[in-house]
Amino acid sequence: MSRPATGPRRLAFFDVDGTLTTATTLFRFLRYYLAAQGHGPRVYEQRRQELKAMTAVGVPREATNRAYFTTFRDADAATVTRLGRAWFEAELARGGLLNASAVDALRGHVARGETVVLVSGSFPAVLWPLAEHLGVTDVWATLPEITDGRYTGRLSREPMIGPVKAEAARLAASVHGADLADCFSYGDHLSDLPILEAVGTPVVVSGDPRLDERARLRGWTVLPGAPEAPELELGACAEAAP
């Protein structure tokens, strides 16, 4: 999903959930999407608890990510895209979704003429409105499989998590003619370690004690995290409903 560039050869890779945002976009959007589809809060809470239970027993993030997308089986892709944009606009109006310290860092890279690349386990319907808001044109994401205009509930490739993020960084650097040793990477979770270690300048957004400790031991820069914004009122979904 990366577009070749002819300008700067220093890239800044940004994770999204917990790094640029104060919350997990996948779950913020899922709650909004289900409400817009006419489901009551219990439907979201049940699905959220199912996924949390998988994490609690040690199921890898890649597997919970795949399980998340089964929720969208047979969903109309155009509707998901439209609701993704409506959700993000509602979040902006509500305030608090974006982590100011990470967004300021991103804007600093842009001001210096460096190319920003979002690398996230979230998916395009949710990420592109954020990318457009931040003026970012390169997005590497988890890609749900879409057939005949509908989500199948499967993924078209491996989730953009862990080592897959590091591989995406290598591919993006190749596309842009950049040397990873000259690049930056921002992440907040231990699963971001592969992409952080792949670049010359890793930066951690505080939030995961395990990653914070590694950053301290290695002398990496640590930016402050931010508290999660309160959930949107479900009434905000009414105007976006199909």
Side-chain angles (χ1 to χ4, degrees), residues 27-48:
F27 293 116
R28 299 280 288 205
F29 173 68
L30 180 60
R31 181 174 180 269
Y32 184 94
Y33 171 80
L34 290 172
Q37 296 294 100
H39 297 289
R42 287 191 63 184
V43 175
Y44 167 75
E45 290 299 334
Q46 179 179 359
R47 186 61 177 139
R48 180 73 179 100

Side-chain angles (χ1 to χ4, degrees), residues 56-147:
V57 298
V59 174
R61 270 195 163 196
E62 292 85 348
T64 57
N65 186 273
R66 288 183 179 280
Y68 170 90
F69 286 103
T70 64
T71 308
F72 293 91
R73 185 181 292 116
D74 204 38
D76 177 70
T79 297
V80 175
T81 296
R82 177 175 61 80
L83 290 176
R85 189 166 299 277
W87 162 77
F88 184 69
E89 290 173 354
E91 290 279 12
L92 284 184
R94 171 66 178 79
L97 180 68
L98 301 183
N99 179 7
S101 66
V103 171
D104 286 347
L106 183 151
R107 289 176 174 154
H109 287 290
V110 173
R112 292 189 294 273
E114 294 158 356
T115 298
V116 172
V117 183
L118 303 189
V119 186
S120 173
S122 193
F123 65 118
V126 173
L127 293 173
W128 275 113
L130 169 66
E132 292 169 7
H133 175 74
L134 297 173
V136 176
T137 58
D138 282 14
V139 177
W140 293 68
T142 296
L143 294 181
E145 183 180 73
I146 298 173
T147 301

Side-chain angles (χ1 to χ4, degrees), residues 142-218:
T142 296
L143 294 181
E145 183 180 73
I146 298 173
T147 301
D148 296 329
R150 292 191 172 274
Y151 284 72
T152 67
R154 299 184 297 271
L155 300 182
S156 63
R157 66 183 186 198
E158 291 299 308
M160 190 60 63
I161 295 172
V164 179
K165 282 188 176 183
E167 180 59 26
R170 286 188 282 271
L171 290 172
S174 177
V175 168
H176 287 277
D179 185 340
L180 284 177
D182 297 326
C183 295
F184 305 79
S185 184
Y186 293 75
D188 74 297
H189 189 268
L190 191 62
S191 63
D192 294 320
L193 196 57
I195 192 171
L196 291 168
E197 293 178 330
V199 301
T201 306
V203 181
V204 169
V205 175
S206 183
D208 182 342
R210 300 165 300 173
L211 184 59
D212 290 352
E213 177 65 10
R214 281 170 169 77
R216 184 187 68 79
L217 292 173
R218 299 183 187 190

Side-chain angles (χ1 to χ4, degrees), residues 4-29:
T6 57
R9 297 196 176 192
R10 298 179 74 184
L11 309 182
F13 300 98
F14 279 80
D15 170 59
V16 173
D17 292 341
T19 299
L20 285 171
T21 67
T22 63
T24 303
T25 59
L26 290 172
F27 293 116
R28 299 280 288 205
F29 173 68

